[in-house]
Amino acid sequence: MSLAIALTKFFTTYTALLGRATPLRLLVGVSGGPDSLALLHALAQLQTFDLEIHIAHLNHCLRGDESRADAQFVADFARNLRLPCYQAEFEVANYAKTCGLSLEAAARAVRYAFFAHLMSAHQIGLLLIAHQADDQAETVLLHLLRGSGPHGLAGTPALAAFPLPTTSPAFGYDLDFIRKAKVGRPLLDLWRPEIEAYCTTHNLQPRFDRSNADTAYLRNRVRLELLPLIEREYKSGFKQNLVRLATILQTDEQFLDEQTTQRFSQVATIQDFTIAFELAAFRATHPALQVRLLRQAYQKLNGSLENLETVHLDLMREAVQTDMPTWMLELPGGIVAHKTVRRLILSNPSKILASLPQLPPDVDSLPLTINNRVKLLLAHGWFIEARIFDKADIGDLQNTDRFIARLDYPKVGAALKLRSRQPGDKLQPLGAPGHRKLQDVLLDAKIPKAARSRWPIVVTATPPGQIVWVAGGCIAEPFKVTEQSQQVLELKLRHF
């Protein structure tokens, strides 16, 4: 199959999913090697479709002058084609060491974060990658060696959702936009010799990455040693069989994914970076879907399936089937799975914590001086808004929003303070006969333990330190609005 035919097949097949905008804007990841160079050249020659092509090249800073020469080569090639080219450098080796990642995993994380950054900045909804049939065969065999199930053995599809970067070092991006983006691999029907022949025919002189010959990497050993051995000694056509297996399983996976999504809406509850499965409903689900439900929950919380292994899924399923009342497992990416008497819960504690109102970092207290209307900024996009009303202007004083406090203004005064929890803190909650420890109030309000130390507490300036309101919890009885109240102070805890 020629590259032109492969590209025509790809764009024709996926036109409905890619949208009918003219021109179709796409970003092409170009390393300078044979595959990406051939893909870029063929795209530039394609006349059948109206394409707006953008080029991305990331220097991983792993090969010194060779890496810089690759970047210059891609820039020159793009200039000759009169196409925009975006480049960046990133010290991947240092990043891998800092984050405890393999060099391959770190390079991939940085690369996709860079792609996401460019796609967000230029409103490009499609990324094209030059993976071909040999890459597909290697991927399937690697997953087989690692004990993957059908999902892994299905390899990489020709069109898929953009893999959300689990980290975004130095590259910001619009998460909502990237959630809708796609990654296309239009060369999966072509084998490496066909692509190399294309380069020869069109006098392309691609760069050679010597790290591709380094057998310290498992993928290189599979490509250079294991696959040739099997083809030579045991089974000619083995690579074709691996690709055929991936194609068959992709069809099965598509159907099962549709069933999983339908079942997910029936058995899962999503709230605040937490996904809960009712045990009875989960156990009643067919085993073929149980693993997929867990995988889908993990992906929603983590942004990708990166580093999630079969053993993690098996441990969660086993926990569901046992009579053990409580159980917990730490998953890759900081995701935590724990089981209660009635539910299996997956959560992302770091995102939960980052989504909660807290005092800014390194700040123990802030003045909250009331002057008709003020806004006091907190961490993570939260703020406190204060307004003063005549009681007659409010009407119904009933309030069920725990992030709103209505207080007797003369009693609390104009000089309040926002501070964090202190040892020995107590208050008399609204309607309670006596005082309670602040830590118990926070516990009853279901404030996560990790957030309690910096949770916003409103206190009086005179007398100093008397608790007026526990944001998201309760107001203090002495400061409630009564029949005798004339003015009302309304405090709102809100998010931008």
Side-chain angles (χ1 to χ4, degrees), residues 375-404:
K375 276 189 178 180
L376 183 64
L377 300 182
L378 306 180
H380 311 311
W382 289 85
F383 65 93
I384 285 185
E385 181 181 64
R387 290 191 294 174
I388 302 169
F389 298 92
D390 288 334
K391 190 175 112 174
D393 294 336
I394 295 181
D396 187 4
L397 285 171
Q398 293 297 318
N399 172 43
T400 58
D401 188 334
R402 64 193 185 103
F403 291 112
I404 296 178

Side-chain angles (χ1 to χ4, degrees), residues 457-488:
I457 311 295
V458 178
V459 299
T460 57
T462 306
Q466 190 170 353
I467 294 178
V468 171
W469 179 43
V470 180
C474 64
I475 68 171
E477 173 72 19
F479 304 101
K480 68 180 181 182
V481 177
T482 66
E483 291 294 329
Q484 290 72 38
S485 300
Q486 298 296 317
Q487 287 186 305
V488 174

Side-chain angles (χ1 to χ4, degrees), residues 105-125:
R108 186 180 188 278
V110 174
R111 190 164 57 250
Y112 273 93
F114 176 56
F115 292 152
H117 169 74
L118 292 176
M119 295 169 76
S120 297
H122 300 282
Q123 296 294 288
I124 301 171

